[in-house]
């Protein structure tokens, strides 16, 4: 039994605003870093420009995922389009790897093997300072949303960020955190080159930025792949679902319970249920209806409920 409903909040509101803020910040930062990298001759600054450009592409893909995933269910997509957000988010992780990490590794190795002609680092320092402020504001926006969601879910912030199905916000928080670390690395490379006259520091900084982006891409790619493969609701939530079903008088046992996360606030529940002997077809129908309403009231993320009346092992 199921009456799919569209969750108007899924993929919209806070998540969309957070991603837009990050996209606009990254686009402006990428242009400024590219100009500063050319003027200063810093490979780390050019790596940071590639980093910000990759982040901008990532945000565009995330916005696409947020828009497409909220489309309502139809005859061709009876379970809705919620999982589509994870496909686009996975592509965003690939963009971070290809657009940022690969370029940073290449530029860093090229600097170490061929050297570089240092230019005026003043403009680079100014751009790094402005970028730090903009990235910090974007990170603050993402952290505010994530902390609010963690508080509503009554779970520690770190655990929420690791396990959240809202991978758009997770991507913004991780990418902005990596961006701030990357800015510090780029500044260190510039300062080391300025003090020693050697391009080694700048090349090493570029390689470190590439390693950082590789890590972010791997974490985000793995998270989205888990949801595409199929992740169940947490064990505590599954136990609560069992308890809510068993609270119905005519339900004697939950023989099998299957849950599937389909989006940040969207999950499917399917269960094989053993009804008490003597329950009429009418009573079974109404019990299923009440159980579905109970689950939706107690657990708003449950959007679809399928209950299958199944005899227990003791019954012929």
């Amino acid at each position: 039994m199921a009456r799919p409903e569209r969750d108007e909040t899924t993929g919209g509101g806070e998540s969309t605003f957070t991603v837009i803020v990050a996209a606009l910040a990254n686009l402006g930062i990428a242009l400024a870093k590219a100009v500063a990298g050319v003027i200063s001759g810093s490979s780390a600054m050019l790596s940071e420009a590639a980093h910000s450009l990759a982040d901008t592409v990532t945000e565009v893909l995330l916005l696409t995922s947020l828009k497409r995933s909220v489309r309502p269910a139809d005859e061709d997509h009876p379970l809705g389009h919620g999982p589509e957000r994870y496909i686009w988010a996975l592509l965003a992780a690939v963009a971070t790897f290809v657009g940022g990490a690969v370029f940073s590794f290449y530029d860093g190795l090229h600097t170490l093997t061929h050297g570089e002609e240092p230019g005026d680092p003043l403009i680079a320092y100014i751009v790094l300072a402005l970028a730090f402020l903009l990235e910090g504001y974007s990170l603050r926006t993402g952290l505010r949303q994530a902390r609010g969601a963690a508080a509503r879910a009554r779970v520690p912030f770190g655990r929420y960020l690791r396990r959240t199905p809202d991978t758009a916000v997770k991507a913004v928080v991780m990418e902005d955190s990596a961006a701030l670390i990357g800015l510090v690395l780029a500044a260190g490379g510039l300062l080391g080159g300025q003090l020693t006259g050697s391009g080694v520091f700048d090349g090493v900084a570029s390689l470190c930025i590439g390693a950082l982006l590789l890590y972010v891409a791997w974490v985000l790619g793995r998270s989205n792949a888990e949801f595409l493969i199929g992740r169940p609701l947490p064990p505590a939530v599954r136990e609560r679902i069992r308890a809510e079903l068993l609270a119905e008088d005519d339900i004697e046992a939950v023989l099998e319970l299957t849950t599937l996360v389909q989006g940040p606030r969207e999950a499917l529940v399917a269960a094989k249920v053993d009804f008490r002997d003597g329950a009429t077809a009418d009573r079974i129908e109404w019990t299923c209806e009440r159980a579905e309403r109970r689950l939706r009231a107690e657990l708003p993320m449950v959007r679809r409920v399928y209950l299958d009346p199944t005899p227990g092992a003791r019954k012929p």
Side-chain angles (χ1 to χ4, degrees), residues 250 252 274-280 283 311-312 314-316:
D250 283 323
E252 191 168 274
D274 180 15
F275 287 86
R276 298 191 185 279
D277 294 337
T280 64
R283 285 174 59 183
R314 72 189 187 286
K315 300 177 182 179

Side-chain angles (χ1 to χ4, degrees), residues 15 18-19 22 59 62 138-139 142 167-177 220:
S15 295
T18 299
V19 174
E59 311 309 339
L62 291 177
S138 177
L139 177 61
T167 53
V169 173
K170 181 174 182 175
V172 170
V173 171
M174 288 199 65
E175 288 169 359
D176 287 342
S177 299
L220 293 178

